[in-house]
Amino acid sequence: MCFLLAWSAFFIACEKKPQPLTGVQVRAITRELVRAVKEASGGRAETGMFPERQPVPPQSRGSDTVASPPADLIFVTLPRMDNGREDGAALKAILDEMDRVAELHHLTRAQRKGAPGILRFDFFFAGQRTQTVELVTQIVGNGSGQARANGLPKLAIIIDDLGYDREAAETLFQIPYPLTVSVLPHLTLSSIIAEEAFRRGYQVLLHMPVESNGGEKAESVELRAGMPSEDAVRMLQGMLGTVPQAIGVNNHQGSLGTADATLMNAIMPALQERGLFFVDSRTTSASVAFASARRAGVPVASRDVFLDDVQDAAAIRHQLDLAVRDAKLHGQAIAIGHPHPATLKVLQDYLPKIESEGVEIMFVSKLVR
């Protein structure tokens, strides 16, 4: 009897929960999953991956405390068929292959809440989240060269201040129009949101923090009037490093900095060397940014209308009407808004009406010159 009790105790001790996977093991499985996606889609699906940057609290296991590594984020842009529709066969093949890899490594898949055009799920190993996967279908943008030549008035809408709030970004990504997304640098979610916007098919800008004289809260990293030119260029390059998908730049705040010719003349050649364009948010009538960009050979445009200085649906609709009026009057217009709930709701409801009036919704890159 004593022998049986001792053996039973030994057997139970051996049945302890498995230890969490290490960061190296998680990343190895992630590479397998990405490789499976590419093979399943015949190389047509675009993929991106990097570790989640949000801290993961330690997990208690009896008397031991083991810190799990951050989960990996995997973004997959699903291919479309020749007729523009989502390739359902490719999606099924991708899911089947990912499940095959997961089964090999004893992972379970748990569905998450998605959005139009986005399928989200997590993989877990013994309760440890190891990967979060987002499969997205690119929006079909209307901003083509053909639209430029058809004589219709053109409207570009930039949504600023992305990078703080994942939920606001996910709400924005439910709007199936070619909006331009401007992401603040050096925030916890900057790279994640920029990557997701890019995979979803939105155009991404760097929302470049510039010093203000209007009493707004300064960003921790911002271009300041009077700073040495080499420091300004170095800071700009650091900002772009956190939003690598940016194909252009617009200024965040900047009523003091954009009026400083020395500062603007320093950064514009750096944009020109990278092939980036600039949109002057025009936070001050004293801005010299547009002229500096022109002199440096940087494609440039200026904001015409702010949509949501007043965060009220009726006021936002009024501002959007002004933007449509300017587009019809001048042939094109640029409006800037923010990911406020009221703004996003108005855009979701109102953009179909604007298109029905013969106004082309376009990415802002189509309107810079």
Side-chain angles (χ1 to χ4, degrees), residues 147-189:
R148 178 178 290 279
N150 63 16
L152 293 176
K154 296 169 278 290
L155 175 63
I157 299 173
I158 301 173
I159 303 298
D160 280 351
D161 289 0
L162 273 296
Y164 287 112
D165 186 343
R166 182 68 181 265
E167 291 302 317
E170 290 181 354
T171 301
L172 169 62
F173 297 153
Q174 295 182 44
I175 302 176
Y177 283 85
L179 304 177
T180 302
V181 175
S182 194
V183 181
L184 286 162
H186 297 299
L187 300 178
T188 302
L189 297 175

Side-chain angles (χ1 to χ4, degrees), residues 117-130:
I118 303 178
L119 176 65
R120 295 188 179 96
F121 53 86
D122 295 313
F123 284 119
F124 288 88
F125 175 80
Q128 171 196 359
R129 184 165 59 90
T130 54

Side-chain angles (χ1 to χ4, degrees), residues 143-255:
S144 64
Q146 182 181 0
R148 178 178 290 279
N150 63 16
L152 293 176
K154 296 169 278 290
L155 175 63
I157 299 173
I158 301 173
I159 303 298
D160 280 351
D161 289 0
L162 273 296
Y164 287 112
D165 186 343
R166 182 68 181 265
E167 291 302 317
E170 290 181 354
T171 301
L172 169 62
F173 297 153
Q174 295 182 44
I175 302 176
Y177 283 85
L179 304 177
T180 302
V181 175
S182 194
V183 181
L184 286 162
H186 297 299
L187 300 178
T188 302
L189 297 175
S190 296
S191 296
I192 294 172
I193 289 174
E195 174 76 10
E196 183 171 352
F198 173 77
R199 294 293 176 195
R200 185 76 174 86
Y202 295 93
Q203 200 163 82
V204 178
L205 305 185
L206 166 69
H207 198 30
M208 178 180 70
V210 184
E211 185 179 11
S212 169
N213 62 4
E216 295 93 341
K217 180 183 177 182
E219 296 294 328
S220 59
V221 178
E222 67 177 15
L223 297 170
R224 294 183 174 274
M227 71 188 306
S229 295
E230 57 272 21
D231 291 348
V233 172
R234 191 178 306 112
M235 183 176 289
L236 172 61
Q237 290 171 341
M239 293 177 182
L240 287 165
T242 68
V243 189
Q245 299 82 4
I247 65 169
V249 174
N250 76 322
N251 55 290
H252 172 62
Q253 300 178 7
S255 54

